[in-house]
Amino acid sequence: MVGVTEGCKIEPGAVEQAAAYMRQTHTGSRDYLDALRSDPRAVYDADLAQSESVAARVWRRSLDHVTRGRGDHPAAILLGVMSYLAPDDIPRQLFNTDAMQTVPILDALGQAKLTVALGELAAYSLITIDPDSINVHRVIQQLTRLDADMRGLAVDYCGAAIGLLDVCV
């Protein structure tokens, strides 16, 4: 499991996901990591132990609770955009008011909505924040990207991430 915990940065849900996958498929950590790299959707969507994957279930329930099931909720939009940025040490300054006003799906958010949305995501451990930066676990990012792709929002979220970087760099 050492290779798996390094790849997952020891997220409890991710470790449970890996263990369930290896138990059900009778494979080892190397096989799990290879499958995760080559076809993450198949791994995350796998019906492990006749239930939705642990990571996907926790992610979905947490996000649904934060957003009340609304895909247009500021927290859902922010998580979608952040899923296309590097996961660690995302500068909070990247989401400054001037930058957000130039990016189509972020232009309606003000600083208050942004701050509240970040707080809500952090309260459910979907992100971690400090005064200067935001971190999104890689598993959360991958699940968010897969969901965005299924809902037809991947291009919008990715475009917004690129737009923020373009304005701020």
Side-chain angles (χ1 to χ4, degrees), residues 55-77:
R57 184 173 59 244
V58 170
W59 168 82
R60 172 53 55 204
R61 286 184 182 161
S62 297
L63 186 59
D64 282 349
H65 191 78
V66 169
T67 65
R68 295 167 233 13
R70 288 184 28 232
D72 63 343
H73 189 282
I77 294 168

Side-chain angles (χ1 to χ4, degrees), residues 104-164:
I105 64 171
L106 298 174
D107 58 351
L109 296 180
Q111 217 46 53
K113 286 182 182 175
L114 169 78
T115 302
V116 169
L118 290 173
E120 291 172 328
L121 291 167
Y124 284 87
S125 300
L126 292 165
I127 64 170
T128 58
I129 54 176
D130 63 41
D132 299 317
S133 65
I134 306 162
N135 296 287
V136 184
H137 192 277
R138 286 163 179 78
V139 171
I140 299 297
Q141 280 191 316
Q142 184 63 28
L143 290 168
T144 303
R145 281 189 226 125
L146 291 171
D147 182 68
D149 187 45
M150 288 183 350
R151 294 186 307 127
L153 294 170
V155 171
D156 292 338
Y157 289 160
C158 184
I162 292 168
L164 285 173

Side-chain angles (χ1 to χ4, degrees), residues 5 10 14 29 39 41 43 64 67-68 82-83 103 108-109 114 119 123-124 129 143 168:
T5 56
I10 312 178
S29 60
D39 193 357
R41 179 169 294 189
V43 173
D64 282 349
T67 65
R68 295 167 233 13
M82 289 187 296
S83 73
V103 177
L109 296 180
L114 169 78
Y124 284 87
I129 54 176
L143 290 168
C168 291

Side-chain angles (χ1 to χ4, degrees), residues 2-67:
V2 172
V4 172
T5 56
E6 288 174 17
C8 297
K9 290 188 112 180
I10 312 178
E11 174 78 17
V15 173
E16 289 178 32
Q17 168 77 18
Y21 178 90
M22 290 183 291
R23 182 177 50 252
Q24 184 168 320
T25 61
H26 301 282
T27 58
S29 60
R30 185 172 306 274
D31 294 317
Y32 171 75
L33 291 171
D34 288 344
L36 192 60
R37 286 184 195 107
S38 67
D39 193 357
R41 179 169 294 189
V43 173
Y44 292 127
D45 288 346
D47 187 17
L48 303 173
Q50 287 66 48
S51 65
E52 183 181 16
S53 74
V54 174
R57 184 173 59 244
V58 170
W59 168 82
R60 172 53 55 204
R61 286 184 182 161
S62 297
L63 186 59
D64 282 349
H65 191 78
V66 169
T67 65

